[in-house]
Structure formats: structure tokens, C-alpha cells
Amino acid sequence: RQGKGPLEDVIFLDAEEDSLLERCRGRMIHEPSGRLYHEQFKPPIEAGVDDFTGDALTKPAHADVDFKKRLAKYQEDSALLKAFYERAGLKREVSAAEGADIVASACAEALKKR
């Protein structure tokens, strides 16, 4: 961080487990380019097809059991970071349960509340 100012805010995005599972289940990817789509939040113009190339999209393999294990590990690991930044007065929590535009607006609002 040389040459940069001090850290002023840390945003933690929070969403319910059901919402996170829904996002994982709805993901689609255009493998050659890495473009991401989502059945609900960012659907392609034509179902199952990349908007730019017309190639078929793939759905990544998803296992609910593995997801729950990874989520539990994330919650355990991030708890220390959240506590640290809360003590420092830098922690801002934002709900990530909505679409990207709403979450971005909520992040901007959280930063105004210093």
C-alpha cells in the first residue's frame, strides 16, 4: 500500500444461505471467454447461448453439500476479519441479497455514513 492513503472503510457483503445457493445454481459461463451469466440476475438474450458468439453456455457443477461446507469455512475465517475491522471502526455491512445495481447503491450509501 505504499503511496496510498490509510484504509477508511471495509465493506462486507452479506446474504442469506438460500440466496447464495440460488445464485450458485443459476450460474452459466461461456468457457472460451469467461463471460458469466445468471438465469435470473443476468440472463443471456437467448436462453443458454452466449450473447456475443452464439456458443452454448455451460452450468458449472454444483453440489449443495460442498457449498455448505465452503460457506461454513468462509464464515469461520471471516469472523476474525469482521471483528478486527469492527474494533477499528471501519466495518460496513451491506446486504447482497438483491441485484448488482441495488447492492452497488447500498455500498455507496454505506460509505457516506462515516
Side-chain angles (χ1 to χ4, degrees):
R1 294 199 35 96
Q2 188 176 18
K4 298 185 180 182
L7 192 60
E8 295 179 15
D9 300 281
V10 178
I11 295 178
F12 287 92
L13 300 175
D14 189 33
E16 295 294 322
E17 183 175 322
D18 290 343
S19 177
L20 295 172
L21 269 170
E22 178 184 331
R23 288 183 184 191
C24 288
R25 290 180 185 138
R27 292 179 112 189
M28 296 177 286
I29 187 168
H30 177 248
E31 296 283 347
S33 69
R35 276 187 290 279
L36 297 175
Y37 296 88
H38 190 276
E39 291 171 344
Q40 180 182 356
F41 298 110
K42 188 182 174 190
I45 295 168
E46 183 181 336
V49 177
D50 180 59
D51 291 344
F52 298 94
T53 65
D55 295 344
L57 300 174
T58 58
K59 289 187 82 166
H62 173 75
D64 289 0
V65 173
D66 292 337
F67 168 81
K68 290 179 186 230
K69 287 179 186 174
R70 288 193 313 269
L71 180 60
K73 178 71 172 138
Y74 165 78
Q75 290 169 336
E76 178 184 326
D77 292 348
S78 67
L80 291 173
L81 281 174
K82 286 182 178 184
F84 175 82
Y85 287 118
E86 185 168 23
R87 281 192 304 271
L90 302 175
K91 179 180 144 196
R92 310 286 179 262
E93 290 204 58
V94 172
S95 172
E98 301 294 331
D101 291 340
I102 294 172
V103 173
S105 293
C107 288
E109 284 300 313
L111 294 175
K112 289 179 186 176
K113 296 179 181 178
R114 290 185 201 166

